[in-house]
Amino acid sequence: MKRLHQFSVLPLLMAPLLVGNAVAQESSQHAVAVSLDTAKIELLTGAKGKLDSAENVFRVAVPRSDLAVSVAGVKMTAATGFTSWASFTPTGDKTMVMGDMVLAEDQINPVMSTALDNGIEVTALHNHFLWDTPKVMFMHIGGMGDVDALAIGIGKVFTKIQETSSTKPKSKPKAFDAAKTSLDPKPLEQILGVPLEKAGEVYKVTIGRTTQMDGHSVGKTMGVNTWAVFAGSDDKAIVEGDFAVLEAELQGVLKSLRGSGIAITTIHNHMVGESPRIVFLHYWGEGRANDLAKAFKTALELQAKN
């Protein structure tokens, strides 16, 4: 009888705890609903959203139905992965935003500049498909801070995407053959402060960095380096290459290169498991050789200050 009495009393003892837990969960879900002003986020971003109460996240999205994309001959729709989005979640007294922007090639750099100029970080730029026509790239963004400021920044990014969606492809300058490079490397060496290596018909500079992998130091020759190739003539040249940056350096280098008119073509990782982590950003610039060297040097100096 004593044992039965214990079982009969236990539910009575647990009931307040269960009720309390249920109330706490309900309160938590209610807190999610009210912690973000979802209507204001929609207003500031100009995009409709959906609240995921379980994850405490409000996600706004803009389908790229304006793009007529085919992949390997298959006509795609916005629902097949061509939707720009940004998700907001409260983190203490701040808000975090993360997202992915779907961009045609000629939209990438103006949209990137808009993000950087409005307090939104750019964290990756890559493709999702092969054989896509037109070519589409995906730019990941992020940020932490005041929810209104972040929503305004995301709204400007969405607006820039809309503004540039019908822009005709930028006409490219008359092509030239890199194999017929005639530029004088001496002025470039003076600007850069390092000698240029003659690599075939073009000129290259490579600056190594080091990181650790599995307890071993890896550096320049293992591929942990920043490099630039200059080709063409003094007045009509290109620069292309790769910056190897620490995570903390990425935004500053992006802003510097974009401020000099250099296009960013990819942002990605080359290794996994290294410490400190190294992010690689590829770039392309066109113009006078001296101006391109100055743009590269400015970004390089900014990186060195960190």
Side-chain angles (χ1 to χ4, degrees), residues 1-14:
M1 290 296 293
K2 183 177 180 181
R3 184 178 179 81
L4 291 173
H5 177 71
Q6 288 177 335
F7 281 124
S8 64
V9 169
L10 185 59
L12 296 175
L13 296 175
M14 292 293 294

Side-chain angles (χ1 to χ4, degrees), residues 8 71 91 94 114 127 131 177 184 198 205 209 228 243 301:
S8 64
V71 177
T91 56
K94 296 181 180 178
T114 298
N127 63 309
W131 316 295
D177 187 349
D184 181 358
K198 188 76 182 295
V205 59
R209 304 202 69 167
F243 266 84
E301 289 179 338

Side-chain angles (χ1 to χ4, degrees), residues 64-69 76-78 82 102-104 107 134 136 165:
R64 289 302 310 269
S65 52
D66 56 310
L67 294 175
V69 181
M76 308 297 278
T77 69
F82 295 92
V102 181
L103 304 170
Q107 292 184 294
V136 175
S165 67

